[in-house]
Amino acid sequence: MSKKQQVEIQFEVFENLVELPAQIQELMNSAKEAREHAYAPYSQFQVGAAILLDSGEITIGSNQENAAYPSGLCAERVAIFHCGAVFPNNKIQAMAITARSHNHELKEPIGSCGACRQSMAEYEQKQSKPIAVYFMGETGKIVKVSSVADLLPFGFDSKYL
């Protein structure tokens, strides 16, 4: 006989940037700056991501589209793969993500796509330490989860291989 169960996550909501700790404000501002460098001529949807490493270094990424759609890459994966390539021995402490549409103002927090969540989860598992994720639209509220696992319950990882 089956039994219904429920998955719960905890998250925080900040009304605006000034409510965030100073270091996370800087991180989100870096994500906003990265968003301005997105190459999004097809979707008109710009995303910026910034990652805070345990060394204090901040790395960024922005979405990069391509006329052959599967060839593009989201901002989160650009940023996290850059960290893996350039800073392989550093741990990721936090990630900030922001999005903007040229079609309408995004006032609500925009979460990462499934492929990005999976990639982020891989790095969280690799470092055996949670990665805090902050995300927002262009303006407005910011959502914080303390771990990528909160964004991807029942995630797939290397223990299944």
Side-chain angles (χ1 to χ4, degrees):
M1 187 161 92
S2 70
K3 179 182 174 186
K4 287 191 177 186
Q5 296 183 8
Q6 189 171 343
V7 174
E8 293 183 23
I9 65 164
Q10 290 189 354
F11 60 94
E12 294 178 65
V13 179
F14 299 86
E15 292 299 318
N16 53 53
L17 282 174
V18 297
E19 289 187 5
L20 296 171
Q23 190 174 40
I24 301 303
Q25 286 181 39
E26 178 185 356
L27 188 66
M28 188 60 80
N29 285 329
S30 293
K32 285 182 168 187
E33 185 178 324
R35 184 183 69 199
E36 298 307 309
H37 302 290
Y39 178 67
Y42 308 105
S43 69
Q44 300 297 304
F45 189 77
Q46 295 177 282
V47 181
I51 293 177
L52 175 65
L53 299 172
D54 57 0
S55 64
E57 181 89 29
I58 292 177
T59 66
I60 60 170
S62 59
N63 58 316
Q64 302 295 311
E65 294 181 350
N66 191 286
Y69 290 132
S71 299
L73 203 57
C74 299
E76 297 91 327
R77 285 182 283 158
V78 169
I80 207 157
F81 294 161
H82 175 77
C83 286
V86 179
F87 303 101
N89 298 317
N90 290 88
K91 294 191 185 294
I92 298 169
Q93 292 186 328
M95 186 172 203
I97 305 154
T98 178
R100 178 176 73 196
S101 171
H102 288 269
N103 300 320
H104 58 279
E105 186 177 8
L106 299 175
K107 297 179 183 178
E108 295 298 317
I110 307 297
S112 301
C113 76
C116 286
R117 292 175 194 217
Q118 180 65 41
S119 295
M120 293 157 60
E122 179 79 14
Y123 278 80
E124 184 171 87
Q125 185 226 359
K126 175 185 167 192
Q127 69 182 27
S128 301
K129 181 177 183 265
I131 299 170
V133 181
Y134 297 80
F135 53 96
M136 66 180 292
E138 182 177 358
T139 62
K141 296 178 182 177
I142 300 106
V143 169
K144 176 203 176 192
V145 293
S146 297
S147 171
V148 176
D150 290 332
L151 296 174
L152 191 64
F154 302 108
F156 181 83
D157 64 42
S158 63
K159 70 182 172 209
Y160 300 116
L161 299 176

